Amino acid sequence: MSLLLALALAAAPEPVFHCSFGAKQLTVTQEGDALVYRYGTKDKAELRIVADAASRRVFYNRRLYPRAEDQTLRFVSGDYSYIVYAHWSAPSMGMTEEGSTPERYYGGLHVWRGETELSSRRCISGGDMREWPIFKTLPQDDENLTPEE
């Protein structure tokens, strides 16, 4: 096997979601039929959750609005829920340039224990999520837990 082929096969999977909170990072990747949640520094994971549709430990929600959408992936570990969210909105249509709203997106992480929110962090960089085919296989989350801006 050539060195280039070996390096290509060993390359990390493309992130489903990635964002930075400064020194800490959050990455969700797809590995086979599972999603892998990884939170920590670039060199060390503090929390790693591997979940697929059958495990009932990862849920998906997508809400569409006129010219906007919210997406969440909720990973469950014991009493804890780790909600990865992304919001996107497009510029207003039919407005003058001065009155139109720019395209924007933001993402982040909520951490809940039971009914109590423990943490809410917005990404400093990254935070975009596009729809992936694996999302259609996941159980639907009933709530949209994307915070308002």
Side-chain angles (χ1 to χ4, degrees):
M1 179 183 305
S2 76
L3 178 60
L4 287 176
L5 179 58
L7 288 174
L9 292 174
E14 181 182 358
V16 170
F17 181 89
H18 175 80
C19 82
S20 172
F21 302 107
K24 305 287 180 161
Q25 298 181 9
L26 168 61
T27 304
V28 177
T29 55
Q30 181 178 350
E31 294 182 16
D33 292 335
L35 290 176
V36 179
Y37 170 103
R38 183 189 181 282
Y39 178 85
T41 65
K42 190 172 187 176
D43 298 324
K44 183 179 179 190
E46 293 176 21
L47 179 63
R48 187 172 184 271
I49 302 170
V50 179
D52 61 13
S55 73
R56 308 280 304 164
R57 293 181 39 216
V58 61
F59 301 85
Y60 177 66
N61 182 293
R62 182 178 187 208
R63 296 275 169 97
L64 297 174
Y65 310 99
R67 309 194 54 71
E69 78 173 356
D70 290 328
Q71 292 185 82
T72 60
L73 288 168
R74 181 169 56 96
F75 291 84
V76 177
S77 180
D79 290 342
Y80 293 87
S81 287
Y82 302 88
I83 299 113
V84 178
Y85 66 85
H87 170 84
W88 170 85
S89 59
S92 302
M93 290 183 60
M95 305 278 295
T96 64
E97 189 172 307
E98 296 82 26
S100 68
T101 56
E103 178 181 52
R104 63 187 177 158
Y105 71 89
Y106 57 87
L109 171 67
H110 288 300
V111 179
W112 291 72
R113 182 175 186 193
E115 301 293 318
T116 305
E117 184 177 28
L118 302 176
S119 173
S120 180
R121 302 182 77 182
R122 176 110 14 124
C123 301
I124 294 171
S125 65
D128 191 22
M129 186 185 318
R130 60 187 164 94
E131 190 172 14
W132 285 64
I134 192 171
F135 293 170
K136 292 179 181 167
T137 69
L138 300 176
Q140 204 54 40
D141 211 348
D142 294 335
E143 296 183 55
N144 173 17
L145 295 173
T146 304
E148 305 246 348
E149 190 157 359

